[in-house]
Amino acid sequence: MANSKTTLLLLIAFLLSPFFELLIIEADLNIKGWGCIEGERKALLAFKHGLKNPFGRLSSWVGAECC
C-alpha cells in the first residue's frame, strides 16, 4: 500500500514539474526587470483605478512592476 502511494506521489511530481519550471522561469524574468508588458500594465492600472479601495489595500500596487 505504501509503495503505491509513493509511486502516485512521484507520478504527480513528475507531471507537475513543467508547471513549476515555468513558474521559476517567469519569476526569474520578473527579477531581471522584464516586468509587465506595457499594454497589460496600463490595463491593470486602469482596472485598479475603477475599483473602490476605501481601506487602501491596493496602495502597494504602483510603478512599472504592477504584475
Side-chain angles (χ1 to χ4, degrees), residues 34-42 67:
W34 291 44
C36 296
I37 297 170
E38 183 65 21
E40 291 179 357
R41 185 183 74 79
K42 286 180 180 179
C67 295

Side-chain angles (χ1 to χ4, degrees), residues 13-34:
F14 176 75
L15 292 174
L16 290 177
S17 62
F19 173 73
F20 290 118
E21 185 175 341
L22 287 174
L23 287 178
I24 291 168
I25 291 170
E26 183 178 344
D28 187 42
L29 290 175
N30 285 335
I31 289 170
K32 290 179 180 174
W34 291 44

Side-chain angles (χ1 to χ4, degrees), residues 2-67:
N3 192 17
S4 62
K5 287 182 182 180
T6 303
T7 304
L8 181 62
L9 287 174
L10 286 173
L11 178 62
I12 290 171
F14 176 75
L15 292 174
L16 290 177
S17 62
F19 173 73
F20 290 118
E21 185 175 341
L22 287 174
L23 287 178
I24 291 168
I25 291 170
E26 183 178 344
D28 187 42
L29 290 175
N30 285 335
I31 289 170
K32 290 179 180 174
W34 291 44
C36 296
I37 297 170
E38 183 65 21
E40 291 179 357
R41 185 183 74 79
K42 286 180 180 179
L44 285 170
L45 291 174
F47 173 74
K48 176 190 169 192
H49 190 287
L51 296 175
K52 293 180 181 178
N53 187 27
F55 300 107
R57 293 184 177 164
L58 299 174
S59 63
S60 63
W61 191 20
V62 296
E65 297 300 326
C66 61
C67 295

